[in-house]
């Protein structure tokens, strides 16, 4: 059995672990650097991954952004520390000659969750730094001809909503993401507020906290309804630190339940939790 060095590069955190025979060992996690200089991410990745290399047979990386030919293009550069694009394959090949596989983070997590739920048509949604998604139709993971398939966080939630980091107005991500929740919280409770604090306030019954989290959950519910009615998805798995937070999924379920039956689907928490991207990219690399 080969050992995979699995890596998950998110907008907030980078995780790395060895996975062999489905067993995860030596998992580490660091903060994603915020720098418009790609050299910073180069050095952070090298320092993080070097100690693992002699134990690994191949490297599988799940990352935020659109993946094409080993290059990450950020749809929303603020989710990649400000970088518009990043030569990930070139960075890794500078210090490792191991076989390398790269996939979008939400697509990777979808692949893990698909193996678990065993239905032919499903989707995964991460509500995290951004809002990402992945789609499996007829047992096939959709990546698209440019790697863009599944970027449902950039579907329209409100034509009069805030400007999204991708340049479009009113995307789901600009309303529902951890970043959007944090920004709404900062307006009320100051610059140190983040999505976690807003979630805590919501769960403690604060009316403003409830309003912000509810708006996020409603936008995700509408996105689910749009995906259901366009693609006939049977199961939606929910992940990301916002999506996995106590009480959040119930809000999504509540709003989806208000819709006519054809818009409804099963909605469940991701079985692999915050490890879905790591597990999924490791499985995908071996498929
Ligand atoms: P990444 O985007 O790097 O994959 P996460 O899934 O952890 O990382 O998402 C990061 C976002 O989730 C940040 O906006 C952070 O403030 C928010 N967050 C972290 N923990 C919680 C929580 N318990 N409740 C709500 N939001 C959270
Ligand atoms: C953004 C986009 C997606 C990503 C999603 C969730 C960038 C850099 N990323 O919509 O590719 O899947 O965020 O990413 O444009 P995360 O960092 O929140 O996990
Ligand atoms: Zn957008």
């Amino acid at each position: 059995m080969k050992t995979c060095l699995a890596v998950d590069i998110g907008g907030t955190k980078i995780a790395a672990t060895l996975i062999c025979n489905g067993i995860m060992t030596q998992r580490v996690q660091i903060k994603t650097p915020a720098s418009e200089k790609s050299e910073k991410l180069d050095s952070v990745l090298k320092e993080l991954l070097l100690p693992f290399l002699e134990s690994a047979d191949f490297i599988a990386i799940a990352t935020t952004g659109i993946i094409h030919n080993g290059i990450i293009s950020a749809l929303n550069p603020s989710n990649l520390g400000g970088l518009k694009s990043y030569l990930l394959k070139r960075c890794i090949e500078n210090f490792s000659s191991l076989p390398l596989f790269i996939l979008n983070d939400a697509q990777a997590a979808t692949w893990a969750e698909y193996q678990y739920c065993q239905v032919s048509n499903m989707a995964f949604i991460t509500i995290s730094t951004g809002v990402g998604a992945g789609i499996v139709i007829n047992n096939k993971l959709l990546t698209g001809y440019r790697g863009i398939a599944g970027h449902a966080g950039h579907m329209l939630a409100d034509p009069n909503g805030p400007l999204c980091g991708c340049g479009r107005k009113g995307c789901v991500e600009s309303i529902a993401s951890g970043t959007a929740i944090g920004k709404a919280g900062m307006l009320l409770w100051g610059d140190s507020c983040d999505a976690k604090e807003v979630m805590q306030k919501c769960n403690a019954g604060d009316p403003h906290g409830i309003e912000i989290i509810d708006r996020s959950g409603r936008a995700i519910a509408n996105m689910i309804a749009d995906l259901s009615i366009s693609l006939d998805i049977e199961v939606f798995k929910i992940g990301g630190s916002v999506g996995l937070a106590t009480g959040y999924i119930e809000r999504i379920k509540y709003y989806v339940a208000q819709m006519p039956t054809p818009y409804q689907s099963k909605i469940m928490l991701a079985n692999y939790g915050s490890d879905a991207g790591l597990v999924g990219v490791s499985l995908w690399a071996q498929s």
Side-chain angles (χ1 to χ4, degrees):
M1 195 73 201
K2 291 195 167 167
T3 300
C4 173
L5 166 52
V7 185
D8 188 347
I9 305 174
T12 300
K13 58 186 202 267
I14 303 177
T17 188
L18 294 174
I19 304 180
C20 185
N21 217 357
I23 311 285
M24 206 177 267
T25 51
Q26 299 178 43
R27 191 187 193 285
V28 290
Q29 193 167 300
I30 58 167
K31 273 184 72 168
T32 307
S35 167
E36 286 176 24
K37 291 206 170 23
S38 57
E39 293 80 6
K40 177 70 186 162
L41 190 51
D42 287 345
S43 63
V44 163
L45 287 175
K46 188 175 177 182
E47 191 185 337
L48 180 71
L49 303 184
L50 269 183
F52 287 104
L53 293 182
E54 65 181 24
S55 315
D57 296 302
F58 66 97
I59 303 174
I61 307 181
T63 176
T64 190
I66 298 161
I67 315 309
H68 196 55
N69 295 332
I71 299 170
I72 308 176
S73 303
L75 192 52
N76 182 352
S78 58
N79 287 5
L80 192 61
L83 290 168
K84 287 194 180 66
S85 74
Y86 180 69
L87 304 178
L88 180 59
K89 184 167 182 269
R90 196 181 76 176
C91 162
I92 304 297
E93 286 177 351
N94 273 331
F95 60 85
S96 163
S97 54
L98 291 173
L100 174 65
F101 302 85
I102 307 171
L103 188 64
N104 166 267
D105 56 356
Q107 292 169 353
T110 306
W111 196 236
E113 295 299 325
Y114 161 70
Q115 315 292 327
Y116 206 97
C117 70
Q118 289 299 336
V119 297
S120 303
N121 298 283
M122 56 80 67
F124 166 87
I125 299 170
T126 173
I127 304 102
S128 38
T129 312
V131 173
I135 298 162
V136 168
I137 297 291
N138 293 337
N139 303 300
K140 286 227 153 54
L141 176 69
L142 304 186
T143 51
Y145 79 100
R146 294 170 294 175
I148 296 181
H151 276 78
H154 300 274
M155 298 201 308
L156 190 65
D158 176 1
N160 302 310
L163 186 65
C164 181
C166 72
R168 189 187 190 194
K169 211 166 149 45
C171 293
V172 174
E173 181 164 296
S174 72
I175 291 168
S177 65
T179 307
I181 294 170
K183 275 186 192 163
M186 280 179 210
L187 293 175
L188 290 166
W189 298 295
D191 283 353
S192 66
C193 186
D194 62 9
K196 192 173 180 178
E197 192 182 328
V198 178
M199 189 69 73
Q200 279 160 356
K201 287 188 188 294
C202 169
N203 288 338
D206 182 291
H208 296 298
I210 293 173
E211 196 186 326
I212 296 168
I213 299 299
D214 217 51
R215 193 187 308 144
S216 164
R218 208 162 53 227
I220 298 297
N222 276 309
M223 184 179 119
I224 285 176
D226 288 349
L227 290 171
S228 286
I229 206 67
S230 54
L231 297 169
D232 204 3
I233 304 280
E234 191 176 340
V235 174
F236 283 87
K237 294 291 196 79
I238 306 295
S241 288
V242 177
L244 295 168
T246 308
Y248 186 84
I249 196 171
E250 284 74 19
R251 287 177 197 275
I252 305 178
K253 287 182 180 173
Y254 171 81
Y255 285 112
V256 170
Q258 316 290 308
M259 311 217 189
T261 314
Y263 293 85
Q264 297 191 20
S265 306
K266 287 192 202 85
I267 300 167
M268 302 175 197
L269 284 176
N271 291 87
Y272 289 104
S274 55
D275 290 334
L278 293 166
V279 173
V281 79
S282 156
L283 293 171
W284 179 78
Q286 295 170 90
S287 65

